Amino acid sequence: MADQEEDFSSLPLPDRFSHKIWKVRKQAYEDAAKQFEITPDESDPAFTPFLQDPSLWKSAVADSNVAAQQEGIAALCSFLKYGGKQACTRTRNLTVSPIVEKGLSSTRAAAKSNSLEALLLYIELDVPGPIIEDLTPFLSHKQPKVIAAALSALTSIYKAYGCKTIDPKPVLKLLPKVFGHADKNVRAESQGLAVEFYRWLREAMKPMFWGELKPVQQQDLEALFEKVKQEPTPKQERYLRSQQAAMAAATAAGEEETGADAEEEVVEIDAFDLAEPVDVMSKVPKDFQENVSSTKWKDRKDALDALFAVLNVPRIKDADFGEIIRSLAKCMKDANIAVVTVAANCVDALAKGLRKGFPRYRSVIMAPMMDRLKEKKQSVADALGQALDSVFAATSLTDCLEETLEYLKHKNPQVKLETLRFLIRCLRTTRDVPQKPEVKSIADAATKQLTDSSEVVRSGAAEILGTLMKIMGERAMNPYLDGLDEIRKTRIKEYFETAEVKAKDKPKPPPAPVAAAPKAAPGKKVMGKKPAPGQKKPAPRVLTPVEEPVSAPLQPKPTSRNPPSKLGGQPKSGLAPPAAGLKLQKRLAGPGGAAAPNVSSPRRPVSHPPSLQEEEAAPPPAPKFGLAGRGLAGRPLGKPPAAVSTVEPASASSVVAAGMSAIERAELEELRAEKERLQRANEDLRVERSKLNSQIHELQNQNAQLIEDHTRDVLSIKAKETQLVRARSDHEAAEQMVHKQQREMERLKRELSRAVRATSPAPADVSEQIYRDAGMNGAGRYDPTGYSGGYGRQGSKRLSFASSMSEEKENGGLDAATYRGKLSPPLSAGLSSGTATGGRGSPTPARDGGGGAAGDGIESWKRAAEVTSQLKARIEQMKVCPIYGVTLYLIGTRVALTKVRNMSRLNKVSLGVDGRRTCENFILLTEWMLDVA
């Protein structure tokens, strides 16, 4: 009991964080959260132990006890909230993974909410990129509940900060994988994330992953998207610390339109920002240039269709499209409008896909498209207008304005009208405020079109002026509307009220007059209070305008002809000359004798100070300044020293005037001659510069032509190499085919030779000889239906049984004894019965030559011996033949010998004992050879 009631609060917090008792850890987490809340700033010592050892938070958020884990995650949120950016960057790498695995998937609602709040704080304090990188691997986790928790956290993060603050591309690429997950909770969370993306991105998100989804999944998502299409664009709910600082600074400066700007920026997200660049140059058909230059319009259109299919991607990787652009510009002059329409679509796709990489091609393609605006068919005009809009979106108003204004003067009314419409669309969509020279050129061109004979053109010109007024303001456009009548002004005002523009010129003018007003006020006060030089601060400011009337007469001194006339001509305006005289006295008296040379020329103090000192007392030059007979202006005004000072500068100025005539006149002539030389040198340099510029342009054109030629040569070389490789492969294939045919021919020759050898000996038909011998001996005749004559049905039955027995031996491998055992009647009985009766006891028919039975037997034996010798010769020949021929010969021989044996057994052939024995031996020999074969 004493151990359980022991108090651990005296231990330091880091030790209690790693204590083995969960209650101690839980209390430590709670104490740490309270301690962080009462800290005055981020540099408080309470944060130091946890910044030095960030692993304490890893064990806290992954605590084995769920109650302690809940308090540990809450303590981490307090640490991040009051610890600042340093607390975020030190602990982020260690805590995000356990938060996702154990915090977001916890069974306690408080732990889940605190885990999500910790992730949001990590993003708020720094940047969202590292947190998204740590969350995306959990979309492939083996546990479905972790994947669902990660998807839910991502949905909340994008809902809070928006897709402009957090890049959605890394998550969009992984959506198709989680859409096909087996767990229904994962699929539901993935659909929720996709709907949240759709709220921010709309249709721009589909090119990233839509093609990888199944049709059923697409239908389900479309049904969910329909529910949120009518919702307004979402607003960012939470802001990063950097955004909060910027908003605070903007609020302090009086700029309250940051939120509106942010909303406009969210709308700017499109498929181009989300898509990856596609290398379309490698996919362009190799024969595109050849087909697009074909004399058949169908070939040209097919080539452009194939090009459009390649270019129709959200984002195109930058490459050299100069040759393609020139081909498209040439197609704009095509006589077939279908070719022109497809070419305009290709330009549209290329400008949208390249954007910042397209301006270098604008000068090549824009003029041919605007020339083609003369086409009256609406489909062609729409395609060209869409292409021109894409070109303008990829460039700027300054780039396109010059050519657009030129085509406003076109003699074709259709071209003029379509150009007016294009300029109106440019003014509506531009985000750059036109400069004053551009405003003047646009207003002048539109004012001229107000007197056009076509009502549509006049309306378009009025709309241009109204849209321009919407951008610049009514005050800036008033000078351009002074000479117009009230009807036209009213019409322009109507367009001004209904125009919708994106240029942001309105917020800028209000701060300008506020900042300029305090600066202009002191200037006006100083210039207006000339007669108040005796004040404390305005006195030195009065000296600045005083120098101007003095410097004016001193600057023309290099002429040295009539300086007194310039100074004397000024005192004709009443009291102003005395003030100027007084100021001259003060200026010359203050710095001494060196001040006058310093104002007029930096060389004079060095060259003529002795002459000024020697002639200080000379009074005659004083009347040259007009100070003698001026009445009130010539009086000293109660300041005798000032009179002395007036005499001294007068004498000095007279000396300077006298010195100019002698020395500085020659110097002036030298300077004039030097100026002329410099001017001539400048002109020569300008001429040389223009020549060099022309040479540079020529060399650039030559270089471009050489690059085109080189590219064309490289392409032709590659084409030839491809043809050569194909020819080589065809040659190798043909050689292989020839070798194959040769081998087939050799094989056929061998087969033919085998067949010839097999058929060349023409073996004698032993069965015919046997049957002939049997007929001669009177044993009966053989016909296809069986033996006829003296044997009758019993002889036929025995023959068929014997032949079946021979077949069984061939198939089953029975020996000769078995054959003999299967013969039911003995051979002698069959022979005697055969000779005694003929068919069902009928008398034996008469036979030809029946008298010489013994002689016929000897003759039959001789014939059998000849057949046997021929078979031996055949066997010897078959030893040399291939196995196929040997097999055929052996089979034929065995069949023949079997028939001879059977005939002998049936007494149809008289072989004798030796002959039958020899026949049996040869049958066994052929069977053995067949087995060997």
Side-chain angles (χ1 to χ4, degrees), residues 275-283 310 313-318 321 353-354:
E276 295 294 333
V278 180
D279 184 12
V280 300
M281 199 64 188
S282 60
K283 301 178 182 178
V310 173
V313 294
R315 192 168 186 175
I316 298 175
K317 185 178 180 181
D318 196 6
F321 294 94
L354 286 177

Side-chain angles (χ1 to χ4, degrees), residues 860-873:
S860 297
W861 166 247
K862 290 181 180 179
R863 290 177 182 176
E866 291 176 1
V867 171
T868 303
S869 62
Q870 290 178 2
L871 290 176
K872 288 182 180 180

